[in-house]
């Protein structure tokens, strides 16, 4: 009988904690329960201090999306390996993602082009199969 009473008492405690948002930071294996005091809509979020907004730089959208001057190519594959040399036998240096902007550094060899990643500044080889003159659709 004690076991049954203890069991129901334990369930009552869990239900009470869940209703009070006590499981917001639950440990591993526990299901998170939404905090009833958390904002449920973006209009419930506090507004930023207007003085902090003065530090933000405004860049026109057309200017922000323009690639740097000169010929650039766009990565079209979801994730593409960049290699130390022109071919699969060369070690992988890093990866590029769809939409990354590359500048050609020389002539292609066996379908591989030496490029500079315009975001990181790194140089590597990429298969021409995954490059386009036009930005890919996201």
């Amino acid at each position: 009988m004690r076991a049954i009473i203890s069991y129901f008492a334990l369930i009552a405690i869990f239900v009470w904690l869940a209703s009070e948002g006590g499981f917001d930071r639950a440990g591993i294996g526990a299901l998170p329960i939404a905090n009833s005091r958390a904002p449920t809509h973006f209009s419930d979020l506090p507004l930023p201090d207007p003085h902090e907004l003065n530090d933000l730089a405004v860049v026109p959208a057309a200017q922000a999306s323009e690639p740097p001057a000169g010929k650039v190519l766009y990565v079209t594959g979801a994730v593409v390996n960049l290699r130390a040399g022109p071919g699969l036998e060369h070690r992988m240096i890093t990866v590029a993602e769809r939409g990354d902007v590359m500048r050609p550094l020389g002539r292609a060899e066996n379908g591989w082009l030496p490029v500079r990643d315009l975001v990181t500044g790194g140089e590597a080889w990429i298969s021409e199969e995954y490059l386009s003159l036009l930005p890919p659709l996201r």
Side-chain angles (χ1 to χ4, degrees):
M1 185 70 173
R2 280 186 181 163
I4 294 173
I5 293 173
S6 298
Y7 176 76
F8 283 114
L10 190 58
I11 289 175
I13 291 171
F14 282 127
V15 169
W16 175 74
L17 285 173
S19 67
E20 293 295 315
F23 287 125
D24 288 343
R25 297 173 191 257
I28 296 174
L31 294 174
I33 297 175
N35 182 345
S36 61
R37 295 177 298 273
T40 56
H41 191 267
F42 71 89
S43 63
D44 297 334
L45 296 173
L47 294 173
D49 180 8
H51 299 292
E52 292 177 7
L53 297 176
N54 290 334
D55 297 335
L56 296 176
V58 178
V59 178
Q63 180 182 347
S65 63
E66 280 181 17
K71 182 178 180 185
V72 295
L73 300 169
Y74 298 91
V75 176
T76 59
V79 178
V80 180
N81 294 333
L82 298 177
R83 298 191 173 269
L88 294 173
E89 64 275 6
H90 296 277
R91 70 180 173 82
M92 186 184 85
I93 297 174
T94 187
V95 295
E97 295 179 354
R98 180 179 325 228
D100 285 356
V101 184
M102 304 286 169
R103 182 176 313 279
L105 296 177
R107 295 184 150 281
E109 293 181 27
N110 300 324
W112 292 79
L113 186 68
V115 293
R116 172 176 287 126
D117 185 333
L118 294 182
V119 174
T120 65
E123 296 180 4
W125 292 76
I126 186 171
S127 173
E128 288 182 300
E129 175 181 350
Y130 299 107
L131 294 172
S132 171
L133 292 172
L134 300 174
L137 299 175
R138 294 240 173 208

